[in-house]
Amino acid sequence: MNGNDLLDKMELVDDSLVEAAGSAGRTSRRKNIIRGIEIAAATIVVCAAGAFGIRYLITSQSGSHTQQDSGMQMVAQIERDYKTDLTYSSSDAAVVWPWEYLTTAEKYTKLTIGDTVFYSRRMLIDPAKLGDVMGEYSIMSNVEEHLDESIQAEAYMVNDVSPDLIVAVELDNAFYIFISEVCAEYKSLGDIFDVCDLDKVLELEEFSKYEGYDSKGSYKLDDDAYIWEVLRDKSDAVAVDFESVRENIKGNITFTATSDSLGIYKRAIYISRSGYLAMNIFDVGYTFDIGTEASEAIISYAMANGKETEMKPYYEYNTLVGTITEIADGYFTVDDSALCKDANDGMTFKITGYDITVNRYFDLDQLKVGDTVMVMFTGDVDTESGNVIDDVADLAEVYIDGNGGVLIEE
């Protein structure tokens, strides 16, 4: 991604979120900012560069995946000879599903414990990371016209995270992260460590190096213990207004921040050579002055120990784009001929193994035969059974431009 790409993406950024990224103040959280990890929630557009610093866009269920230069693309384990410059991005934010077509986790998203209101991030957490049961509570709906609806469910503490910040709620035999409505005023980096042992809930494994706007490579780190040791030693680093320091920020490295304990997916932690740490792991951004000695130690360690790798797409699902050719009871079929350099090379895939989150598209005529869709799934394609995909995570309607690009109308 180059400077022009980043500048183009700035037009998408919500100004209120940009302002929040530079504030260490107390801010009310937006309700239901993040959709679940099970449907690949939340995009972060990170501008890791001098004059702009970190800016990020958080939208309801959106993301992007760009494949360029080569027409040879993979649908799971199957190589396909597609047209070049395919850009996948998705959002179904415009679809308002009727109450009866919502999952339990989509219906019930608001929890009040004492004076604290929590909202669901609709992201799952591994039950092994849960602490004690806090009690049974009413989980309220936050859906218009159903605000009086509720369900009883147990809330749990999350290991290594303060229950004033995050709790987990059991819904339909799965555990979802709920986060406090109000962003605290963290005056120092130590204030964050006081409410969350970041070194225990967040692994700094993947990072990218930037010079100005330009990415200079992506890397994978096997051991982040030293980085957390340096940051722990800078617990007294004070929070600063990003706007007041961004002109001084030059090169940097940006870590990908994913944690089911925090309910975050591919957020960012940014270390600049000029001595600043910035993060957006709590929806509102925080910037801390950790000093050049600490930032250089982190960057030097990361570059000396990181192994260069390819940048991963936002979605870590397998994806299939094609035209719906049949909708039947329990399955639908998708043909990818429109994306192929030679349409005669097209393949038909049979999609099965999905629930209400996919079925509702067909029941409510959101998708029909002839529409083009992007199917996100895990696992391989069962070629022996006729190119069957049986583990769908999500899908969205898409549009193919004249160059084979895939666009999703929002």
Side-chain angles (χ1 to χ4, degrees), residues 32-36 38-43 58-64 88-98 101-103 106 122 314-315 355-362 364 366-367 372-376 392-399 407-410:
N32 303 327
I33 291 177
I34 311 245
R35 297 295 298 268
E38 72 277 13
I39 50 176
T43 291
I58 302 177
T59 60
S60 180
Q61 194 179 339
S62 62
S64 64
Y88 304 163
S89 58
S90 74
S91 174
D92 74 353
V95 180
V96 179
W97 301 111
Y101 279 92
L102 296 177
T103 66
E106 290 170 334
R122 296 181 193 162
Y314 177 79
Y315 284 124
D355 59 15
I356 190 174
T357 60
V358 173
N359 245 338
R360 57 196 180 189
Y361 284 92
F362 306 127
L364 300 176
Q366 292 292 323
L367 292 173
T372 304
V373 294
M374 177 168 67
V375 181
M376 288 157 276
V392 179
D394 196 22
L395 79 162
E397 185 173 9
V398 301
Y399 302 88
L407 306 174
I408 297 184
E409 185 173 309
E410 300 188 19

Side-chain angles (χ1 to χ4, degrees), residues 282-408:
F282 297 130
D283 297 347
V284 168
Y286 295 94
T287 303
F288 299 96
D289 184 356
I290 62 173
T292 56
E293 183 178 350
S295 66
E296 285 292 347
I298 292 172
I299 293 173
S300 297
Y301 174 83
M303 295 308 303
N305 293 278
K307 299 175 183 177
E308 193 160 9
T309 185
E310 292 185 5
M311 180 177 289
K312 293 182 179 179
Y314 177 79
Y315 284 124
E316 293 192 39
Y317 292 119
N318 295 317
T319 57
L320 164 68
V321 175
T323 304
I324 298 176
T325 54
E326 181 184 4
I327 300 173
D329 186 16
Y331 74 90
F332 64 101
T333 58
V334 171
D335 182 276
D336 70 351
S337 299
L339 271 70
C340 295
K341 290 180 179 177
D342 184 344
N344 293 322
D345 293 333
M347 291 177 59
T348 298
F349 298 81
K350 183 176 182 179
I351 320 299
T352 67
Y354 47 84
D355 59 15
I356 190 174
T357 60
V358 173
N359 245 338
R360 57 196 180 189
Y361 284 92
F362 306 127
D363 289 355
L364 300 176
D365 296 324
Q366 292 292 323
L367 292 173
K368 60 186 182 301
V369 171
D371 288 341
T372 304
V373 294
M374 177 168 67
V375 181
M376 288 157 276
F377 63 98
T378 57
D380 287 339
V381 177
D382 185 352
T383 55
E384 293 184 359
S385 299
N387 302 328
V388 173
I389 295 171
D390 64 359
D391 44 14
V392 179
D394 196 22
L395 79 162
E397 185 173 9
V398 301
Y399 302 88
I400 302 177
D401 65 23
N403 296 319
V406 178
L407 306 174
I408 297 184

Side-chain angles (χ1 to χ4, degrees), residues 113-135:
I113 300 179
D115 295 329
T116 304
V117 177
F118 297 83
Y119 286 97
S120 173
R121 278 187 157 168
R122 296 181 193 162
M123 296 184 70
L124 296 170
I125 180 172
D126 182 347
K129 299 178 181 180
L130 299 179
D132 295 336
V133 177
M134 300 174 65

Side-chain angles (χ1 to χ4, degrees), residues 87-362:
T87 301
Y88 304 163
S89 58
S90 74
S91 174
D92 74 353
V95 180
V96 179
W97 301 111
W99 178 258
E100 60 271 22
Y101 279 92
L102 296 177
T103 66
T104 300
E106 290 170 334
K107 289 178 178 178
Y108 304 106
T109 57
K110 180 180 178 181
L111 164 67
T112 301
I113 300 179
D115 295 329
T116 304
V117 177
F118 297 83
Y119 286 97
S120 173
R121 278 187 157 168
R122 296 181 193 162
M123 296 184 70
L124 296 170
I125 180 172
D126 182 347
K129 299 178 181 180
L130 299 179
D132 295 336
V133 177
M134 300 174 65
E136 186 172 275
Y137 298 90
S138 292
I139 315 301
M140 304 297 298
S141 166
N142 199 37
V143 178
E144 293 295 336
E145 300 181 2
H146 294 275
L147 298 177
D148 57 342
E149 300 278 356
S150 68
I151 189 173
Q152 292 297 117
E154 288 187 328
Y156 292 76
M157 297 180 67
V158 175
N159 291 337
D160 305 309
V161 182
S162 169
D164 293 331
L165 176 65
I166 284 175
V167 299
V169 174
E170 184 176 7
L171 298 170
D172 285 345
N173 300 314
F175 298 89
Y176 292 85
I177 289 295
F178 280 60
I179 187 166
S180 171
E181 177 186 32
V182 176
C183 295
E185 181 180 355
Y186 299 122
K187 295 182 178 180
S188 71
L189 185 56
D191 288 346
I192 290 184
F193 280 119
D194 286 343
V195 298
C196 178
D197 290 326
L198 291 178
D199 48 338
K200 295 180 180 179
V201 301
L202 184 60
E203 294 183 359
L204 302 179
E205 293 182 321
E206 300 171 5
F207 68 93
S208 296
K209 178 185 177 183
Y210 288 87
E211 292 180 7
Y213 289 110
D214 299 322
S215 173
K216 297 300 182 180
S218 297
Y219 302 84
K220 183 175 177 60
L221 195 62
D222 292 330
D223 186 354
D224 63 357
Y226 175 74
I227 294 174
W228 288 118
E229 180 182 336
V230 172
L231 293 177
R232 283 278 189 182
D233 286 344
K234 299 301 297 184
S235 290
D236 60 348
V238 297
V240 297
D241 179 5
F242 186 81
E243 292 298 316
S244 69
V245 301
R246 69 177 183 172
E247 294 296 335
N248 299 322
I249 293 178
K250 305 297 182 182
N252 71 85
I253 61 174
T254 301
F255 289 96
T256 299
T258 295
S259 169
D260 61 346
S261 294
L262 299 179
I264 58 174
Y265 180 69
K266 293 200 173 181
R267 301 291 184 93
I269 293 180
Y270 165 100
I271 308 290
S272 76
R273 290 194 178 277
S274 50
Y276 297 99
L277 174 153
M279 61 176 68
N280 63 356
I281 61 175
F282 297 130
D283 297 347
V284 168
Y286 295 94
T287 303
F288 299 96
D289 184 356
I290 62 173
T292 56
E293 183 178 350
S295 66
E296 285 292 347
I298 292 172
I299 293 173
S300 297
Y301 174 83
M303 295 308 303
N305 293 278
K307 299 175 183 177
E308 193 160 9
T309 185
E310 292 185 5
M311 180 177 289
K312 293 182 179 179
Y314 177 79
Y315 284 124
E316 293 192 39
Y317 292 119
N318 295 317
T319 57
L320 164 68
V321 175
T323 304
I324 298 176
T325 54
E326 181 184 4
I327 300 173
D329 186 16
Y331 74 90
F332 64 101
T333 58
V334 171
D335 182 276
D336 70 351
S337 299
L339 271 70
C340 295
K341 290 180 179 177
D342 184 344
N344 293 322
D345 293 333
M347 291 177 59
T348 298
F349 298 81
K350 183 176 182 179
I351 320 299
T352 67
Y354 47 84
D355 59 15
I356 190 174
T357 60
V358 173
N359 245 338
R360 57 196 180 189
Y361 284 92
F362 306 127

